Structure formats: C-alpha cells, structure tokens
Amino acid sequence: MARIIYPDDFAGQQTLFKAILAQHEALGTKSPLTPFAKLQKLDLVKMKNAIAPAAEQNAASGSLRRSSEEDTQQRNLTMEMPWAHFTGEVDFLKGFYKGMERQLGEWGITVDGKDRIVYPNGTAARVDLMKIFVEHHQSFAPGESPLQWYMDEHPDINIEDDLQAAKDALEIEVARDKASGDSEQATQ
C-alpha cells in the first residue's frame, strides 16, 4: 500500500487543502468528502473561509520571525565591541591582581577556582555586570582606579560609551523577544 506523506508546514497544508477542496467542488454531489465531512462534523464552508485569515496570520508570523532574527543580529553586532573592550579590561585587571584574583569580586567579576574568570550568559546579565564594573571604576578618586592605566593606553575605549552600547543591545534584545513572542502568538 502506498504511504501518504502529509505536509507539516503551513504552505504545504494550505496547498493540499485547496487541492482537496477544488476536487470536492468539481465532483459536486458525488464527492466522497461530503459524507466524510458530515461524519467528522466538519464545516467545509467555514474551513474554506478560514484559508485567507490563516494565510495572513502565517505571513505575519513569518514577518515577525524575520524581524526577531534581524534584532538578534543587531543585538549581537551592537554588543560585540563593548563586550570585547570589557573582557580586555577584565584581563588587564586579572594581571594587575595576579595572585589576588579574588579582588576582582569587588568589580563584580566572578572568579572560579584559583583564577578562572566566569562570565555570565545572556545580554541582561552581561549588561548588569558591565554596570557594576563601571560603577566600581568610577568609585575611585580621579586617577586612582587600577583600570586607569589601561584606559590611558587604549584611548579608543570609552567605558561609558561601551556601557551605553550594551544598554542599547539590551533594548534591542527586548524588542527581539517581543517580536519572537508575537510571532509565536501569530502562529497559534
């Protein structure tokens, strides 16, 4: 016996349903779908009328999904440079506090084992860590922060600008999450 493969995507299901419906309408009163629909309590007219709204929802879902993907790329791009600067700053301080790596805890940095730096996952956690780090740097009197030498050697780095870019990345992530949720809702 032949095996029937049913499509699992909306476009394929819509195409199959339209083909079945067209054949049903072509057969008229001789269509075997008429007694089957009655047995299964299916309203074929209602189902036919639902095709267009379902297609609109599917298109909206796809658009929102693409928007979410674009937001993810934009978030990653926006966060890339500030995070690279931040990890460079932390690496400098790790060397500065050589043998006393636990001092990095005052900067909000988690040290695992003897001297392994543990960075959090997720944009929100990283932005929070960067805020704590910048606040600690700014708590020193001018010129007394151990990070100042690194900052002087890297004049292209501005930690306030990096923190603002990280906050911008977080806003993009929030928009991405909303678009992703809206896409799932549209699919439902």
Side-chain angles (χ1 to χ4, degrees):
M1 178 173 359
R3 183 171 165 227
I4 300 173
I5 299 175
Y6 294 101
D8 58 359
D9 64 316
F10 178 79
Q13 292 169 355
Q14 183 181 15
T15 301
L16 177 61
F17 181 71
K18 283 181 176 179
I20 290 170
L21 200 56
Q23 182 63 24
H24 166 71
E25 289 171 351
L27 291 173
T29 59
K30 295 182 182 184
S31 172
L33 192 54
T34 302
F36 178 77
K38 191 174 218 173
L39 178 69
Q40 296 295 323
K41 297 183 176 123
L42 299 174
D43 185 345
L44 296 177
V45 173
K46 188 175 184 180
M47 291 173 71
K48 181 180 178 179
N49 293 336
I51 293 173
E56 288 174 16
Q57 283 298 109
N58 186 61
S61 174
S63 176
L64 290 165
R65 186 175 46 256
R66 284 186 295 282
S67 176
S68 172
E69 290 167 1
E70 289 168 3
D71 286 345
T72 298
Q73 291 172 350
Q74 184 62 40
R75 179 212 55 205
N76 292 346
L77 187 61
T78 302
M79 188 68 174
E80 184 177 354
M81 190 58 67
W83 188 251
H85 289 167
F86 175 74
T87 57
E89 294 157 6
V90 171
D91 286 343
F92 168 77
L93 288 175
K94 182 180 173 187
F96 180 82
Y97 290 116
K98 186 82 171 149
M100 302 180 298
E101 288 83 2
R102 296 280 178 204
Q103 293 287 329
L104 291 171
E106 294 175 8
W107 293 79
I109 306 300
T110 302
V111 180
D112 188 17
K114 183 180 176 193
D115 64 355
R116 184 175 162 267
I117 304 296
V118 179
Y119 294 108
N121 293 323
T123 305
R126 288 181 174 193
V127 170
D128 287 343
L129 176 59
M130 290 175 75
K131 283 181 194 174
I132 293 167
F133 187 85
V134 169
E135 287 170 2
H136 188 69
H137 168 67
Q138 292 172 338
S139 72
F140 288 92
E144 292 186 12
S145 171
L147 187 59
Q148 192 59 53
W149 183 85
Y150 183 82
M151 301 305 295
D152 292 342
E153 291 297 311
H154 297 87
D156 57 314
I157 297 176
N158 182 315
I159 59 173
E160 289 85 10
D161 290 347
D162 285 346
L163 181 58
Q164 184 57 53
K167 289 177 182 177
D168 293 345
L170 185 58
E171 287 179 17
I172 293 168
E173 181 172 72
V174 168
R176 188 260 341 234
D177 291 346
K178 180 172 180 357
S180 180
D182 290 348
S183 172
E184 290 175 18
Q185 183 68 26
T187 298
Q188 292 298 327

